[in-house]
Amino acid sequence: MTKENKKKDDQIKERSFGIVGVIWKKISVPLTSIFLALFIGGLIMAISGSDPFEAYGALFQSAFGDINGWGRTLEKATPLIFSGLAVTFAFKAGLFNIGTQGQLLMGAITSAYLGFAITGLPAIIHIPLALLGGALAGALFGSIPGLLKTRTGAHEVITTIMLNYVAINITDYLSNGPLKEVSSSDVVARTPPIEASAEIPQVAGLPLGFFIAIIFAVFVWWILEKTTLGFEIRTAGLSGTAAKYAGIKVTAIIVITMVISGALAGLGGAVETQGIVGRYQPGFNTGLGFDGITVALLGKVHPIGNIFSALLIGSMKAGGAKMQFVADVTPEITNVVQALMLFFVAADRVVRWIIRQRETDDEGLTLTTGWGN
Amino acid sequence: MVNTVLEVQNITKRFPGVIANDSISFKLNKGEIHALLGENGAGKSTLMNVIYGLYKPDEGQIFINEEAVEVQNPHDAIARGIGMVHQHFMLVPVFTVLENIVLGSETTNGPSLNLRSPRKDIQKIIDQFNLDIDLDTITEDLPVGIQQRVEIIKALYRQVDILVLDEPTAVLTPQEVDDLFKIMRSLVDQGKSIIFITHKLKEVIEIADQITVIRRGKVVGSAKPDEADQQSLATMMVGRDVDMHLHKKKAEPKEMILEVNNLVVKDANGNVEVDDVSFEIKAGEIVGIAGVQGNGQTELVNALVGMIPTESGTVKINGLPATNASPRKVTEMGSAHIPEDRLKDGRVLPFTIADNMVLNTYYLEPFAKSGIRQQEEIKEFAVDLVEKFDVRTPSAENTASSLSGGNHQKEIDAREFSRPINLLIAAQPTRGLDVGSIEYIHHRIIEKRDEGCAVMVVSTELDEIMELSDRIIVMFNGKIIDTVNADEITKEQVGLLMAGVTA
Amino acid sequence: MSKKYLLIVVLVFALVIAGCTAADAPEATCADEETLCVGFVTDVGEVDDKSFNQASWEAVQEFAAANDVFEVDYVETRDAKDYEANINLFVEAGYDVIVTSGFAIGDYTAAAALANPDIYFIGVDQYQGFDVPNFTGVQFNEDYSGFLAGAVAAMLTETDIVAGVYGTNLVPPVQKFKQGFEAGAAYINPDITVISTYSPGGFETGFTDPEWGATTAAQAIDNGADIVFGAGGQTGNGAIIEAGTQGKLCIGVDVDQWLTLPEAHACLVTSATKLIGPAVIDMLDAYMTDTIPEGNYIGGAGLAPYHDFEALITGDMQDILDQIVLDLESGAILTGFVLEE
Amino acid sequence: MTDKNNNQDNKFLKHLKKNWAKYTVGILLIVAILYNYDRDPKVTQAVLASMVRHSTPLVLGALCGLIGERSGIINIGIEGQMLISAFAAFMTTAYTGNIIFGVVLGILTGMFMGYLLAIMSIALKLDQIIGGTVLNILALGITSYFYQVGLSMGQKILPIPLGKLADLPLVGRVLFNNPPITYTTFILVFVVHYILFHTKWGLRTRAVGEHPRAADTVGVDVFKIRYVNLIIAGGVAGLAGSFLSLEAVGSFERAMTNGRGFVALAVMIFGRWTPFGAWGAALLFGFASAMQTQINFSGALDIPYQFISMLPYLLTIVVLAGFVGRSRAPAASGVPYEKEG
């Protein structure tokens, strides 16, 4: 091959990889991270005597194979987007909200109450009303750690952890007491089903709630990046003294942030209640809030990133049972895969080294500047 | 007999895009104070970090006691008798003085940390060099000058023979500088050798035995203090002729802008920091607040701009009540504030320069309309300011943390001076800046005065106070000890007042 | 450079996706008319929970071993919202009988039964109030076996203090065990002190916190209790093991825990069981012979064998217990169970 | 001389002034305990002993957290470290039949997890919250995936009464009649305090956690200190895991930590990053948990049990907000250290 030919060849290569190359640059790291995590997870399966291809195949097919699969994946992703957004939002103000679980439960039960107790409303009013109620309940519950922090200095990590347990007990009490469904055949602790007018419908087999979640993800991104409030929150999150200097009332920002964060978590609970469960029942929302931390981190603490990370984790939740059914693989292996994904996405330096991509001067992911004050 | 204790030969250190040190050579003799003179960014600190083992040189050789060595790390440097007092103190704030001194060279008693015998040794050093310090005080509670002493003791405790002082006077009051020079003298008298890094010409002439001038990473000359004068050194250092004196018109004070009456400020622990302070500043005059660091100036400024609450007393701006006004209110009343700690207070480093340019006006039109930020407007504004104030950056969209040296100050100045203001409160406006930048900022401050702005300058640099001020307020122990007209008092008299001595 | 790797990644992904389309084939045969396939869906938890899920699953397997069953399989429910989807995994695969386990899954089992009249559903711990012909709900009188356990405890205690460590009150069976236990103890000895508590963890940790169970049992023993009734999944197991460690007696729950919890051999006098396994096998057998009772079926409930503690139960005691069983069935003794809030 | 005395008096007064609330609460608590002990020794003992049991894993978890944070690394992976260690300890004991092997392997596993966290946060400079979260999910996945049914370790670790000390009234039962890991925990509190505040290593650790650059410039190896401390801290979490499976429960269950690692995190912050503070906070939480059980035992409060269940959590919040307030974390924790040049 002559030199000239080779040059030409290179040019062609360049061109054909042009657009793909650009996209590849953007998605190569996350994609490779996912792949590596799946690969190692598969290795573990193979070593322990299962067939990783069969397992992943079942998972993939169950989560994305048909409209039902998609529907369930989106269903699983929906509350995760909300709790991820809640965690993300708090992170931006330098707050670590481990209390999304509690806020989500409060939102879920409130929306259930509004869903069954109010009758005769048209759906167009009832749905948003119950959602709003859930958001408010979450906001109210989220405001407690915010207020405690600004008034007494009590650390939000402690108070949010403790309030999670308080929320479990409050909702257990309500659903087994004042709000319990009364019927002779049914003695389980749960509220009556919500009215049909409060139910969030499906659109072409896909849950509408997911699209609400996307709207909120964009909305949160918009607040953070495009509004003065977002500017204030991000400033307070990065430097308390600079925020004060800039005339920002840091204490107010802390409370507002926790209120919004709580509202997002509460909304997650409400959407779950109105879109999927159809009532409040203890045990039906387990782990949704806690998973928000993983979702937020995997989404690089970016509101839009949350959508993708929630989809990823949601698909594993949706496909886990099928994986067990078909390949007899314990679905918890997906936890290992999630941990590895999180690791590789965060350790993009490692991934870049593996795929021999030059380091961009992309800023590393920093969210912790210590426990703050 | 001349005994060379340290020699560097042709040291070159490159960073991506810059040559910080370009074949630098100099010699340090025993018992000598050797000044390395140069502007910020000239490469002095890089050179010292090379000597101290924090950086590896790309080329060149270091000799200690005429023996070629390779300094691996700071520990190695210390072992070879080189100690360093960094410009930013390397002290653990929550440790006691004693703990800070022994850290890294601890003695143990079985498994336990032994603080008793070091205490004795350290006390000996303290007595020997007359350093006067309480070993059990928590370090962060100490004034800066004393913290510096801790650093010096730290080095002495490690029995170093060569002490590198990196811009040691930048944060000191005149009295503290005098004290430091006394200490330095007594150190060299007892056989230590000192490398004194600075950009302050006067000090160099006062204390150094030998001067090496560095510019843009190269040695551009050397001199003996008795042969040199400030003007020639300045020219050598900056590379052009520098106007050493400010030319300002006589002040023409007009209407009252700031009135402070019986102001009392307490800290979080209830200690009185500002004690019954009253003064006023009129439009068109510069009032300098002189005082040794830690005498209430910082708290006074913070209380005036709303960063901390006041205990009692009143503040009026433009005749309107501004006691305990929020920072935003104070800003909206037409005042600008250049904060003392530029890295921490006035800016958000991970934000873009543009966002920092609107840090306290982000919510106003045209930067925001009904709560929504107007990115284009902000960018335009920032680009304009970057150009006007000569902030050196490739783009206003770069992060503030990417800026270097004096550009941090310029960024803040650009923001604060760009607003229509009638009160300027500047705390340590030139701390740590080089001659060129100081010159620039002083001119801008005077410009503001001449535009009819009331200016309050807080500085521990007596020279700065003397040069800039029309009137001088001296604070001591939280109180105003005296208020004088700048042209009716000598520097020495102000210095005495700062030490609490009233005539 | 990176382009080569792009290709590799894409290729491997393609392989993975290709792999999944191939994975479906073997399940298809359950759809055949002549094959019999039995599926099992757990309540939230695992098939090896040493408790009711395990009992049902073992029964299904036992049935399969004894009969000509083409395929049995289980799916563990990880999230209560997946009940429907998990049942559907079997429905889609053409299973003939689907056993589901747990209170909360009842509605979904009924709904699935309505939608799939060709498949038979057996719901363990479920009340069939839906009038669906192809769905049998199996329940147990937990209060009966709780009553017997309480009677045993009251007869064996030397301190006249007996303790109960329970999961959460959110599920009726736990309440039934608790109330039965207390009534039974009081039936033998009206002055007995029964100290008991539910776990504070609700559904989140109420059944899965053995350490809390152990600590609580220890506290009960420090209060003077010498028999501990542990009824609440792993939480109860923790309590039982602790009693054994401290040399006290204990009573298990749901199944004969002598078999599922070997750590409890030191103390396990008996277990307040509901005969889940036999009930499930009975139902499956009845399905085979087309005699399965539509609607509801009350499975057995009673005490498990005493195993190593046979000697503790004197003949007199056994007589009393036998009489209680008769009286409970005849209605001469009422456990007084009412659902708490 | 008198001056110095005066000075000391002043210091003492200042100290009193600053800490009066603590001392008052402490004295009141002691009085209350003694009063109750006089009235009902059995219950008082039971509650206090239970308090110690509840607090043990929390103290160990908090010690793990604070050793890391004192050297500048935030560790929210305590939960995962505990869980996987509990698993390793149990599996080892079940397979070898030797509890000591189990404890050792539990500790080693914890250390390995600490090492992983160290690699992630020091070498790879991952955000430390992410590093910890990775550990948590990984541990949950691995332990659940590799969980095996039917393993048994035999008897769990037994209490060792400390001779005559164990016979002392009140404190005997509470403090001197515990199993070995609990004793080790008591000792560890003192040891960690001693190491942190009275040894060279501790001085360097704290320096690295507050101002790593300062430590670096005097020749302290920042990375080494952080690595070693995280590995040791992991070992402490490993001990907590061993406690859970081998000493408290005597078995392993999936997700058996049930959030204790997070509560330990809260305890650490509550205790202001000091060993004794953490101990106090853990005891407070343990006391509230024990009281909650005791209230249920006594049946004295006739309110829905969920409200009693909230007690430990509400009490923590109230005490934190009312008495403790703001706390200051080690300045450098959470910030990866970059060497210059």
Side-chain angles (χ1 to χ4, degrees):
Chain A
M1 196 195 282
T2 64
K3 242 185 190 171
E4 209 162 284
N5 268 345
K6 190 170 185 294
K7 205 174 168 193
K8 216 173 177 184
D9 205 47
D10 279 351
Q11 271 177 358
I12 292 167
K13 234 194 216 165
E14 252 338 65
R15 217 170 297 148
S16 59
F17 273 95
I19 305 158
V20 181
V22 170
I23 299 172
W24 167 242
K25 227 180 159 139
K26 277 252 178 242
I27 61 166
S28 57
V29 173
L31 212 62
T32 317
S33 301
I34 294 170
F35 173 70
L36 280 171
L38 287 173
F39 179 74
I40 297 176
L43 222 61
I44 295 174
M45 284 189 238
I47 289 169
S48 53
S50 304
D51 180 352
F53 286 99
E54 195 186 7
Y56 284 142
L59 189 142
F60 192 84
Q61 199 258 339
S62 171
F64 300 111
D66 55 10
I67 191 81
N68 278 336
W70 273 98
R72 291 194 325 106
T73 297
L74 300 192
E75 273 181 14
K76 296 284 178 194
T78 305
L80 298 183
I81 293 177
F82 280 109
S83 52
L85 286 175
V87 175
T88 299
F89 201 81
F91 264 143
K92 290 288 181 190
L95 298 167
F96 193 14
N97 181 6
I98 312 187
T100 41
Q101 181 67 39
Q103 293 142 17
L104 187 141
L105 291 182
M106 298 306 279
I109 201 164
T110 307
S111 106
Y113 174 72
L114 295 173
F116 75 75
I118 303 174
T119 53
L121 284 181
I124 194 81
I125 298 172
H126 203 175
I127 293 173
L129 181 76
L131 284 177
L132 187 72
L136 278 178
L140 212 65
F141 210 64
S143 71
I144 300 171
L147 287 171
L148 285 174
K149 188 183 177 86
T150 52
R151 291 286 157 85
T152 71
H155 204 291
E156 82 274 6
V157 166
I158 309 180
T159 50
T160 52
I161 289 175
M162 297 297 154
L163 284 170
N164 277 337
Y165 294 97
V166 173
I168 291 172
N169 278 299
I170 291 177
T171 49
D172 281 357
Y173 165 71
L174 290 174
S175 55
N176 197 33
L179 302 185
K180 186 173 178 175
E181 180 181 42
V182 192
S183 83
S184 59
S185 68
D186 206 314
V187 283
V188 182
R190 61 181 187 187
T191 69
I194 57 173
E195 295 285 306
S197 55
E199 277 172 18
I200 299 172
Q202 303 240 321
V203 186
L206 300 176
L208 184 64
F210 177 76
F211 302 100
I212 300 178
I214 288 188
I215 291 169
F216 270 93
V218 175
F219 182 58
V220 164
W221 172 82
W222 181 79
I223 290 182
L224 285 171
E225 296 300 323
K226 300 289 175 194
T227 68
T228 53
L229 176 67
F231 185 74
E232 289 169 349
I233 287 169
R234 287 183 293 127
T235 306
L238 290 168
S239 165
T241 48
K244 211 168 169 190
Y245 172 87
I248 296 164
K249 288 204 178 76
V250 179
T251 51
I253 290 297
I254 288 173
V255 176
I256 291 172
T257 303
M258 282 308 294
V259 163
I260 296 178
S261 176
L264 288 166
L267 257 178
V271 170
E272 190 71 354
T273 296
Q274 293 170 249
I276 294 154
V277 185
R279 54 154 54 97
Y280 184 84
Q281 183 159 356
F284 271 54
N285 298 297
T286 307
L288 295 180
F290 251 110
D291 284 339
I293 299 173
T294 316
V295 170
L297 296 176
L298 193 57
K300 293 214 148 193
V301 197
H302 188 289
I304 307 301
N306 269 308
I307 300 175
F308 296 103
S309 56
L311 274 173
L312 207 58
I313 294 180
S315 68
M316 292 190 208
K317 284 177 181 283
K322 180 92 173 189
M323 181 166 88
Q324 180 171 42
F325 181 62
V326 172
D328 282 330
V329 171
T330 316
E332 269 82 8
I333 191 73
T334 57
N335 277 327
V336 178
V337 174
Q338 280 171 31
L340 291 166
M341 278 180 192
L342 184 54
F343 169 78
F344 285 119
V345 165
D348 49 2
R349 229 194 277 190
V350 177
V351 176
R352 276 182 220 286
W353 178 77
I354 291 171
I355 58 175
R356 303 286 193 279
Q357 193 183 73
R358 263 209 293 138
E359 294 236 11
T360 60
D361 31 33
D362 213 12
E363 80 298 349
L365 178 58
T366 313
L367 20 122
T368 46
T369 43
W371 289 113
N373 295 301
Chain B
M1 190 192 85
V2 178
N3 187 355
T4 306
V5 289
L6 176 77
E7 181 177 1
V8 298
Q9 271 185 10
N10 307 319
I11 293 287
T12 299
K13 176 73 190 169
R14 297 182 196 89
F15 292 114
V18 274
I19 303 178
N21 287 169
D22 189 355
S23 192
I24 288 185
S25 306
F26 78 91
K27 280 183 185 175
L28 172 68
N29 295 325
K30 189 173 165 63
E32 176 185 85
I33 297 177
H34 191 129
L36 280 186
L37 184 65
E39 286 204 279
N40 276 9
K44 297 166 295 181
S45 293
T46 306
L47 180 61
M48 285 310 111
N49 283 333
V50 167
I51 293 174
Y52 199 53
L54 281 166
Y55 294 156
K56 297 253 170 303
D58 297 317
E59 286 160 34
Q61 184 65 57
I62 299 170
F63 297 88
I64 294 175
N65 294 324
E66 290 167 6
E67 185 189 327
V69 294
E70 237 178 82
V71 185
Q72 299 296 339
N73 53 43
H75 205 52
D76 192 24
I78 292 166
R80 294 176 189 280
I82 304 174
M84 180 142 167
V85 175
H86 296 263
Q87 191 177 353
H88 302 286
F89 297 148
M90 292 298 164
L91 297 171
V92 180
V94 296
F95 276 14
T96 64
V97 172
L98 183 61
E99 286 174 326
N100 261 313
I101 294 169
V102 299
L103 177 67
S105 312
E106 305 87 346
T107 46
T108 52
N109 191 353
S112 294
L113 186 64
N114 179 359
L115 288 176
R116 201 158 294 168
S117 60
R119 181 189 289 273
K120 272 189 210 141
D121 298 341
I122 293 164
Q123 199 57 52
K124 239 182 251 163
I125 296 170
I126 291 175
D127 295 342
Q128 186 185 351
F129 297 100
N130 229 347
L131 292 165
D132 187 32
I133 194 166
D134 176 14
L135 288 175
D136 295 315
T137 317
I138 300 292
T139 310
E140 65 185 343
D141 296 341
L142 289 172
V144 181
I146 307 292
Q147 290 193 21
Q148 187 173 59
R149 265 183 227 175
V150 178
E151 285 280 21
I152 293 172
I153 300 169
K154 236 168 92 175
L156 295 175
Y157 178 64
R158 285 161 175 76
Q159 298 179 317
V160 300
D161 299 316
I162 303 164
L163 200 59
V164 182
L165 302 176
D166 189 3
E167 298 277 1
T169 60
V171 291
L172 300 185
T173 64
Q175 271 71 28
E176 285 176 322
V177 171
D178 284 349
D179 288 346
L180 175 68
F181 284 177
K182 268 182 218 148
I183 292 166
M184 284 166 69
R185 273 282 154 237
S186 100
L187 286 171
V188 289
D189 286 347
Q190 297 187 45
K192 310 281 183 196
S193 316
I194 293 175
I195 299 176
F196 174 48
I197 301 175
T198 186
H199 61 265
K200 292 187 184 165
L201 307 164
K202 204 163 44 61
E203 292 172 356
V204 166
I205 291 171
E206 189 182 336
I207 188 83
D209 299 314
Q210 177 68 39
I211 304 167
T212 299
V213 185
I214 297 177
R215 190 172 77 230
R216 297 202 176 160
K218 285 193 178 127
V219 173
V220 290
S222 63
K224 293 268 180 201
D226 41 0
E227 300 160 358
D229 62 69
Q230 289 197 40
Q231 193 62 51
S232 65
L233 284 175
T235 308
M236 213 190 287
M237 180 169 86
V238 182
R240 61 180 164 89
D241 285 333
V242 181
D243 189 351
M244 296 293 292
H245 290 282
L246 281 170
H247 301 285
K248 59 171 193 199
K249 293 180 288 184
K250 197 160 166 42
E252 293 162 15
K254 297 187 191 79
E255 73 274 17
M256 189 75 79
I257 300 290
L258 177 68
E259 283 176 79
V260 178
N261 282 310
N262 308 98
L263 191 71
V264 178
V265 179
K266 288 185 180 171
D267 70 4
N269 297 325
N271 302 321
V272 176
E273 295 289 343
V274 176
D275 191 358
D276 196 23
V277 163
S278 304
F279 65 94
E280 57 203 31
I281 304 179
K282 294 187 172 122
E285 68 168 345
I286 298 176
V287 172
I289 309 279
V292 178
Q293 178 104 25
N295 273 281
Q297 309 98 304
T298 307
E299 289 77 10
L300 174 64
V301 169
N302 283 339
L304 288 180
V305 300
M307 295 286 281
I308 56 174
T310 60
E311 187 73 19
S312 63
T314 59
V315 179
K316 276 186 188 172
I317 298 175
N318 301 326
L320 300 168
T323 320
N324 277 329
S326 66
R328 173 158 302 172
K329 178 102 186 287
V330 175
T331 306
E332 285 177 344
M333 289 175 107
S335 65
H337 170 210
I338 296 175
E340 192 177 319
D341 189 339
R342 294 184 297 273
L343 283 178
K344 224 174 77 190
D345 288 354
R347 307 162 63 239
V348 182
L349 292 175
F351 277 4
T352 61
I353 293 165
D355 277 346
N356 273 296
M357 288 292 193
V358 296
L359 189 63
N360 47 14
T361 50
Y362 65 91
Y363 61 99
L364 295 171
E365 293 214 31
F367 309 130
K369 282 183 186 140
S370 42
I372 296 158
R373 307 187 71 221
Q374 305 297 315
Q375 241 87 3
E376 281 309 307
E377 304 279 351
I378 293 169
K379 196 178 162 189
E380 235 169 73
F381 174 75
V383 168
D384 192 39
L385 285 188
V386 163
E387 199 177 317
K388 236 199 231 156
F389 283 77
D390 190 30
V391 183
R392 305 259 166 87
T393 171
S395 153
E397 299 288 295
N398 280 29
T399 60
S401 54
S402 69
L403 292 177
S404 62
N407 286 309
H408 289 297
Q409 180 72 37
K410 285 184 191 165
E411 188 195 350
I412 290 190
D413 290 348
R415 180 180 70 214
E416 295 301 307
F417 289 174
S418 64
R419 276 180 287 133
I421 52 168
N422 49 29
L423 173 63
L424 172 63
I425 298 175
Q428 318 291 356
T430 60
R431 178 181 280 179
L433 295 189
D434 57 49
V435 178
S437 306
I438 292 173
E439 190 188 354
Y440 170 85
I441 284 164
H442 283 176
H443 278 119
R444 293 222 88 112
I445 289 177
I446 290 168
E447 213 175 282
K448 277 285 154 194
R449 179 199 75 166
D450 293 344
E451 284 169 14
C453 194
V455 181
M456 171 173 157
V457 174
V458 178
S459 178
T460 48
E461 299 268 356
L462 195 41
D463 287 327
E464 180 165 48
I465 294 278
M466 296 300 294
E467 293 251 338
L468 277 176
S469 310
D470 300 313
R471 281 192 297 135
I472 299 172
I473 291 173
V474 186
M475 284 189 76
F476 180 74
N477 247 342
K479 286 189 163 70
I480 292 182
I481 194 166
D482 205 353
T483 306
V484 289
N485 283 332
D487 47 12
E488 291 164 8
I489 192 165
T490 64
K491 206 175 138 184
E492 285 66 34
Q493 284 170 307
V494 177
L496 282 175
L497 285 170
M498 284 167 73
V501 182
T502 40
Chain C
M1 199 52 197
S2 66
K3 278 146 202 162
K4 202 166 77 192
Y5 289 87
L6 165 72
L7 278 176
I8 295 172
V9 172
V10 168
L11 272 176
V12 177
F13 261 104
L15 264 176
V16 170
I17 293 162
C20 44
T21 30
D24 276 318
E27 240 49 66
T29 43
C30 267
D32 300 347
E33 279 285 317
E34 56 273 20
T35 57
L36 175 61
C37 293
V38 183
F40 174 61
V41 180
T42 70
D43 199 352
V44 177
E46 294 85 15
V47 284
D48 49 22
D49 65 352
K50 300 175 186 170
S51 187
F52 61 99
N53 283 328
Q54 187 172 347
S56 299
W57 172 234
E58 281 171 357
V60 171
Q61 285 175 299
E62 201 182 318
F63 167 78
N67 293 277
D68 182 25
V69 174
F70 178 75
E71 178 122 23
V72 288
D73 206 347
Y74 66 86
V75 167
E76 293 173 341
T77 304
R78 288 308 195 268
D79 176 348
K81 288 176 300 259
D82 290 339
Y83 288 140
E84 189 184 346
N86 291 350
I87 293 172
N88 278 338
L89 283 174
F90 290 109
V91 172
E92 283 161 15
Y95 274 61
D96 307 282
V97 181
I98 299 172
V99 181
T100 66
S101 163
F103 244 91
I105 198 171
D107 286 4
Y108 302 90
T109 314
L114 262 177
N116 303 285
D118 295 340
I119 302 173
Y120 206 92
F121 290 85
I122 298 169
V124 180
D125 262 348
Q126 290 162 39
Y127 179 78
Q128 214 276 51
F130 307 91
D131 210 18
V132 195
N134 54 329
F135 171 28
T136 303
V138 181
Q139 299 134 56
F140 306 91
N141 291 324
E142 291 90 353
D143 48 342
Y144 285 13
S145 52
F147 193 97
L148 287 164
V152 169
M155 289 189 282
L156 293 181
T157 179
E158 287 164 9
T159 58
D160 281 350
I161 303 175
V162 295
V165 177
Y166 305 99
T168 169
N169 72 346
L170 298 179
V171 275
V174 179
Q175 289 188 24
K176 281 170 137 182
F177 276 125
K178 176 172 185 272
Q179 291 185 20
F181 183 78
E182 283 163 9
Y187 176 76
I188 298 294
N189 176 3
D191 297 326
I192 201 165
T193 309
V194 183
I195 54 178
S196 65
T197 179
Y198 291 112
S199 153
F203 268 110
E204 320 272 325
T205 64
F207 292 106
T208 55
D209 197 346
E211 200 234 337
W212 182 86
T215 306
T216 305
Q219 189 172 343
I221 292 164
D222 284 349
N223 270 282
D226 59 353
I227 296 190
V228 176
F229 178 41
Q234 328 296 4
T235 308
N237 291 351
I240 288 171
I241 299 173
E242 175 68 26
T245 311
Q246 295 218 20
K248 309 294 178 194
L249 296 176
C250 62
I251 296 172
V253 80
D254 280 347
V255 296
D256 183 357
Q257 293 210 285
W258 187 270
L259 307 174
T260 59
L261 194 68
E263 292 90 342
H265 287 184
C267 67
L268 197 80
V269 183
T270 181
S271 302
T273 63
K274 33 193 193 184
L275 302 177
I276 297 170
V280 170
I281 291 182
D282 284 354
M283 288 302 99
L284 288 169
D285 285 342
Y287 169 81
M288 293 298 280
T289 55
D290 261 343
T291 54
I292 190 160
E294 288 167 12
N296 287 297
Y297 173 83
I298 306 290
L303 290 180
Y306 307 116
H307 300 281
D308 286 3
F309 291 85
E310 197 81 61
L312 274 184
I313 311 292
T314 61
D316 291 350
M317 289 184 187
Q318 191 55 49
D319 291 344
I320 296 173
L321 291 170
D322 291 342
Q323 187 57 44
I324 291 175
V325 173
L326 292 177
D327 288 348
L328 281 170
E329 265 160 27
S330 71
I333 296 177
L334 294 174
T335 62
F337 171 71
V338 278
L339 204 60
E340 320 174 357
E341 284 199 347
Chain D
M1 202 61 216
T2 44
D3 209 43
K4 205 168 183 185
N5 270 339
N6 256 338
N7 213 348
Q8 268 171 357
D9 282 354
N10 261 335
K11 261 186 187 167
F12 180 68
L13 278 177
K14 242 186 180 168
H15 179 79
L16 264 188
K17 222 173 166 181
K18 215 172 140 189
N19 297 299
W20 67 270
K22 255 191 247 172
Y23 286 115
T24 318
V25 170
I27 290 166
L28 280 178
L29 261 180
I30 291 171
V31 170
I33 288 168
L34 288 178
Y35 174 72
N36 272 310
Y37 184 67
D38 188 49
R39 279 185 51 211
D40 192 344
K42 200 173 63 182
V43 167
T44 310
Q45 263 181 13
V47 169
L48 293 182
S50 182
M51 163 184 85
V52 170
R53 285 187 207 104
H54 275 295
S55 70
T56 301
L58 304 181
V59 179
L60 288 173
L63 286 179
C64 163
L66 77 87
I67 294 172
E69 290 216 13
R70 280 289 183 170
S71 49
I73 309 284
I74 289 179
N75 180 1
I76 70 158
I78 306 169
E79 175 93 358
Q81 290 180 314
M82 277 163 62
L83 182 63
I84 203 163
S85 305
F87 179 69
F90 173 75
M91 293 299 268
T92 310
T93 311
Y95 276 110
T96 65
N98 188 326
I99 285 190
I100 297 193
F101 285 175
V103 173
V104 169
L105 213 86
I107 293 172
L108 285 177
T109 308
M111 291 172 101
F112 179 71
M113 291 294 269
Y115 179 62
L116 280 187
L117 183 65
I119 290 177
M120 285 192 279
S121 46
I122 301 166
L124 298 173
K125 298 193 173 66
L126 290 202
D127 184 276
Q128 293 169 12
I129 297 283
I130 294 183
T133 309
V134 167
L135 291 195
N136 285 337
I137 317 173
L138 192 69
L140 195 64
I142 287 186
T143 54
S144 299
Y145 185 74
F146 288 105
Y147 178 81
Q148 281 175 305
V149 196
L151 286 179
S152 168
M153 58 168 275
Q155 197 161 44
K156 65 181 177 179
I157 304 177
L158 295 175
I160 304 171
L162 291 185
K164 289 217 171 89
L165 284 174
D167 300 331
L168 290 174
L170 189 59
V171 290
R173 172 78 194 171
V174 175
L175 294 178
F176 303 116
N177 190 10
N178 283 304
I181 297 182
T182 307
Y183 289 134
T184 312
T185 306
F186 298 160
I187 298 166
L188 268 180
V189 171
F190 288 88
V191 169
V192 173
H193 174 86
Y194 170 76
I195 290 177
L196 267 183
F197 298 104
H198 298 285
T199 68
K200 176 170 145 182
W201 181 264
L203 187 75
R204 291 180 169 202
T205 297
R206 287 184 291 134
V208 164
E210 292 285 347
H211 195 332
R213 176 98 49 222
D216 196 356
T217 54
V218 291
V220 174
D221 188 338
V222 176
F223 296 138
K224 182 179 133 195
I225 297 255
R226 289 187 169 177
Y227 265 101
V228 173
N229 273 327
L230 277 186
I231 292 171
I232 292 173
V236 176
L239 191 65
S242 308
F243 168 85
L244 282 181
S245 62
L246 302 185
E247 185 166 297
V249 176
S251 172
F252 177 83
E253 296 300 343
R254 281 165 279 219
M256 73 186 294
T257 38
N258 280 314
R260 282 187 181 76
F262 284 95
V263 177
L265 197 68
V267 160
M268 171 195 77
I269 300 173
F270 200 154
R272 299 179 168 210
W273 290 268
T274 64
F276 287 117
W279 201 18
L283 286 175
L284 174 80
F285 189 82
F287 177 72
S289 300
M291 276 312 291
Q292 169 232 318
T293 300
Q294 197 63 40
I295 291 171
N296 278 324
F297 278 172
S298 72
L301 267 180
D302 192 23
I303 54 173
Y305 94 100
Q306 271 89 5
F307 289 103
I308 302 170
S309 298
M310 289 181 211
L311 180 72
Y313 314 109
L314 288 179
L315 186 74
T316 304
I317 294 174
V318 168
V319 173
L320 181 70
F323 297 95
V324 181
R326 212 166 289 277
S327 45
R328 174 169 161 176
S333 68
V335 191
Y337 181 63
E338 307 251 9
K339 250 178 135 52
E340 269 182 17

